[in-house]
Amino acid sequence: MAQAWSCASFYAMANIWEKYAVPKLIRFACSQPAVMKDRSQIVPRADGNVLELGCGGGINLQFYDRERVDSLTGLDPSAELLDYTREEAKSRGFDMDILDGIGEAMPFEDGRFDTVLATFTLCSVQDGEQVLKEMRRVLKPGGKILFLEHGRAPDAGPEKWQQRLEPMWKHIAGGCHLHRPVIKKFEANGFNVSNSDGHYADKTPRFLGWMEMGEARPV
């Protein structure tokens, strides 16, 4: 009985952490000054009919160039983070279609979007290759993916720590993986990457701070 109660208590606490703590942790971590600087460089490149994959939190809304965006659609599986997005969109007077869903099965017709934007999203999806297939599917011919992600560090020291910490980290941080490649993953799945940059974020531990951004187009 004690063991059963202990297991039940553990799962209850895990659910409480996932529901209430993780959204706040994500918003805090993903709005640090170094991260916001990178967002300000990638988000304004979005144009046409735009899909923001992983829009939860609404952090990117301040950076869109509204004269370039014809429509904005957001998709995210976190109800709590979507509440933040709705509040942010309302406060900024942003007309945005906000949907609950996952990147592996996007509820959109083929060729709908000119731009798909993903910022700090691919680290936590369940099936990265399926998400890239879905991105390709919903893009119009000639469309582009804009990405800003943290991922596998290029240096041995930080990369080793990423491997060590990832099993624990992903349970604390809502499924976030530290060790996933970014640009290499796009290229391995049939995308041409341009206007790219990789760097360590300022004032951030290196095992957390390797950032890659750029523009990917289907080959």
Side-chain angles (χ1 to χ4, degrees), residues 133-154:
K133 289 179 183 178
E134 281 289 273
M135 286 179 165
R136 179 191 293 269
R137 181 183 66 79
V138 301
L139 275 178
K140 292 180 180 180
K144 63 179 180 289
I145 297 168
L146 298 173
F147 62 89
L148 167 60
E149 301 284 343
H150 73 95
R152 182 180 298 173

Side-chain angles (χ1 to χ4, degrees), residues 5-22 171:
W5 182 90
S6 178
C7 289
S9 299
F10 172 80
Y11 286 114
M13 290 299 295
N15 288 336
I16 291 171
W17 174 264
E18 193 74 21
K19 182 176 178 65
Y20 296 107
V22 168
H171 291 295

Side-chain angles (χ1 to χ4, degrees), residues 58-98:
I59 301 172
N60 285 328
L61 290 178
Q62 62 190 285
F63 297 119
Y64 282 103
D65 182 345
R66 297 197 188 191
E67 293 186 358
R68 292 167 54 87
V69 175
D70 298 325
S71 69
L72 179 60
T73 301
L75 185 69
D76 199 286
S78 170
E80 291 75 26
L81 284 171
L82 286 177
D83 286 342
Y84 286 121
T85 307
R86 293 186 182 97
E87 291 174 6
E88 190 71 15
K90 182 178 180 180
S91 70
R92 294 182 178 277
F94 217 125
D95 184 13
M96 181 180 182
D97 190 13
I98 301 170

